[in-house]
Amino acid sequence: AQSVTQLGSHVSVSEGALVLLRCNYSSSVPPYLFWYVQYPNQGLQLLLKYTSAATLVKGINGFEAEFKKSETSFHLTKPSAHMSDAAEYFCAVSERGGSYIPTFGRGTSLIVHP
Amino acid sequence: DVKVTQSSRYLVKRTGEKVFLECVQDMDHENMFWYRQDPGLGLRLIYFSYDVKMKEKGDIPEGYSVSREKKERFSLILESASTNQTSMYLCASSQHTNPNTEAFFGQGTRLTVV
């Protein structure tokens, strides 16, 4: 079964610093990978998704992620953090046991200091 | 604008009460999901449905049931609410036949059982 692991439950950066949120996947076949963001007291919304058309995927709000098969990773980055980026970030796969069931990592809380 | 709407943002219920959480989507999606979100545990799947009157147990179905009488509506039922069911509940929907499409989420219902 496909799964994802997010390293680090909390990541703290200063405003203007690089953001790096880590996600590793476990799959024997190329997975369908997603990053979602959740702002306080909100539902999740899509940041970006891997479509296999390109290994570097650009998303909303300046975020991007690179699919690396050799490392089984799909890390999320942003060159310069903004205060408004403070949120919970979830990596996800869309398939589990042959069914299309979104399955999420445990989430990483991004804290941005002024 | 596509939408998943959960009937309540906040609910306070007493132990032993029967609780209904309602979710409606307007995207004609076949798949609908109920997740529970707790700090440090990420999103855990309670139940999902891929068609009207169809339901499948997720990872933590105990103490819950679901109903899907119409394609657009998916209800989560707490048969006898307990304090350990205090949590954030998230409803989502997605297309059934395309694993590369994202899930769309409601705003969440924060349930407190006292």
Side-chain angles (χ1 to χ4, degrees), chain A residues 36 38 41-42 94 100 102, chain B residues 9 35 37 96 99-100 103 107:
Chain A
Y36 291 83
Q38 183 183 32
N41 294 315
Q42 300 289 323
S94 66
Y100 298 147
Chain B
R9 291 294 304 275
Y35 292 90
Q37 182 180 15
H96 180 59
N100 200 28
Q107 295 280 73

Side-chain angles (χ1 to χ4, degrees), chain A residues 59-82:
Chain A
I60 61 172
N61 301 336
F63 283 92
E64 60 184 34
E66 187 171 7
F67 176 76
K68 290 187 176 181
K69 186 177 179 181
S70 60
E71 299 177 8
T72 61
S73 69
F74 191 56
H75 301 332
L76 182 71
T77 60
K78 182 174 180 178
S80 177
H82 210 267

Side-chain angles (χ1 to χ4, degrees), chain A residues 97-114:
Chain A
S99 297
Y100 298 147
I101 301 170
T103 303
F104 296 85
R106 292 197 169 192
T108 299
S109 179
L110 178 64
I111 302 160
V112 182
H113 297 288

